[in-house]
Amino acid sequence: EAQVTQNPRYLITVTGKKLTVTCSQNMNHEYMSWYRQDPGLGLRQIYYSMNVEVTDKGDVPEGYKVSRKEKRNFPLILESPSPNQTSLYFCASSPRGQHYNSPLHFGNGTRLTVT
Amino acid sequence: DQQVKQNSPSLSVQEGRISILNCDYTNSMFDYFLWYKKYPAEGPTFLISISSIKDKNEDGRFTVFLNKSAKHLSLHIVPSQPGDSAVYFCAATAGTGANSKLTFGKGITLSVRP
C-alpha cells in the first residue's frame, strides 16, 4: 500500500531533550515536506526537500533540522525542543513538488507535547 | 499575512443538502488551487483541484468553482453525507517551478447532520 509513515504518533517530552520524528514514503517520490498544524493557523511548512541531499526552509524553520540522505526518508529533528513547538506535525510527499498535478500525500501525523 | 483565507471556521449542514465551503485569496499570482480533506487522527488527503484557466471542475459529488476576478473559490458538496464531516483545507500555489510553494488556509470544519 502506498503510504507515508510517521513515527511516533504521540510524543511527550521535556524542554531541551533532543528528539527525532521519522518519516518514510514507499512511493519513490522526489519531494518531501514537513508541516505543523496549530489551532487558528492551519498548516505551515517547516522544511522541504526536492530530492536527496537537497533541503530548504519553509515558513517556520526555526528550531528544526532535517536531512535527506535517502529518497524514502525525511526525518525531522528538534535539537532543543521548547514548549512553543508543541503541535501536530505532518510529513508529506509528492512525485515532483507541490504544484500542478502533483498533490501531496500526507502521513497520519505526530502529536508532540513539550513541557 | 494570510494569503489564503477561510473565514468561516465551521459549517453545519443537514444530510442530503448542499455544503458550500468558501475560500478567498489575496495573491494574484496564484494559478492553481486545491482542496484537502482531513479526518481526526489522520493526515489530510487530496480531494479536488482547479487550474486558473478553468472556472469549474467537477468530480462526482464535489465541484470547485473559481472566480478569479473576485479571488474567490468555493467547494460544493451535493448531496452532503455524514461521512463528509471533516476539516477542509483550501490551498493555492503559483507557477509551475519546482520550488513553487503551496499555501494553506486555516481550514473549515464541516459537520453533516443525519
Side-chain angles (χ1 to χ4, degrees):
Chain A
E1 180 188 353
Q3 59 186 2
V4 177
T5 304
Q6 294 178 230
N7 280 298
R9 291 293 309 273
Y10 301 92
L11 181 57
I12 301 174
T13 190
V14 296
T15 299
K17 186 176 181 181
K18 181 180 178 180
L19 66 91
T20 299
V21 183
T22 64
C23 174
S24 180
Q25 51 93 4
N26 62 1
M27 296 168 280
N28 202 37
H29 285 170
E30 291 184 355
Y31 179 91
M32 297 187 75
S33 181
W34 277 101
Y35 293 85
R36 59 179 288 175
Q37 183 188 359
D38 301 289
L41 294 175
L43 289 161
R44 294 180 294 166
Q45 189 178 50
I46 303 170
Y47 268 95
Y48 65 94
S49 170
M50 297 300 298
N51 214 323
V52 176
E53 301 292 0
V54 180
T55 63
D56 211 341
K57 296 178 180 178
D59 296 317
V60 287
E62 294 78 20
Y64 304 95
K65 285 175 60 177
V66 293
S67 69
R68 187 90 181 275
K69 294 186 171 60
E70 307 163 281
K71 199 170 190 178
R72 63 182 293 127
N73 296 323
F74 190 46
L76 180 69
I77 303 156
L78 284 72
E79 295 268 1
S80 183
S82 62
N84 64 11
Q85 292 178 298
T86 292
S87 187
L88 179 58
Y89 292 85
F90 290 102
C91 181
S93 72
S94 75
R96 293 176 300 281
Q98 46 182 350
H99 54 92
Y100 288 97
N101 297 321
S102 188
L104 292 168
H105 297 251
F106 284 86
N108 283 333
T110 296
R111 171 86 52 191
L112 172 66
T113 302
V114 183
T115 61
Chain B
D1 178 32
Q2 195 83 16
Q3 297 187 62
V4 177
K5 301 178 182 180
Q6 296 179 264
N7 292 320
S8 301
S10 62
L11 175 68
S12 182
V13 171
Q14 190 76 37
E15 181 178 6
R17 300 291 187 103
I18 184 172
S19 295
I20 300 177
L21 289 72
N22 293 309
C23 178
D24 297 293
Y25 60 96
T26 58
N27 187 341
S28 58
M29 299 300 292
F30 286 150
D31 59 359
Y32 195 67
F33 305 88
L34 307 92
W35 285 91
Y36 284 82
K37 174 180 178 180
K38 183 186 176 305
Y39 291 119
E42 294 183 13
T45 55
F46 170 71
L47 185 59
I48 192 169
S49 63
I50 187 167
S51 165
S52 61
I53 62 173
K54 296 184 175 182
D55 54 19
K56 175 183 174 181
N57 188 26
E58 190 172 355
D59 183 1
R61 295 186 297 112
F62 302 90
T63 303
V64 56
F65 295 92
L66 175 62
N67 183 334
K68 289 187 291 293
S69 60
K71 292 191 179 68
H72 176 83
L73 63 155
S74 59
L75 175 67
H76 293 213
I77 306 173
V78 184
S80 301
Q81 299 174 354
D84 296 328
S85 297
V87 177
Y88 290 80
F89 290 100
C90 174
T93 187
T96 57
N99 288 330
S100 56
K101 177 174 170 288
L102 193 62
T103 301
F104 285 88
K106 296 179 182 180
I108 300 172
T109 299
L110 173 65
S111 300
V112 179
R113 307 185 303 273

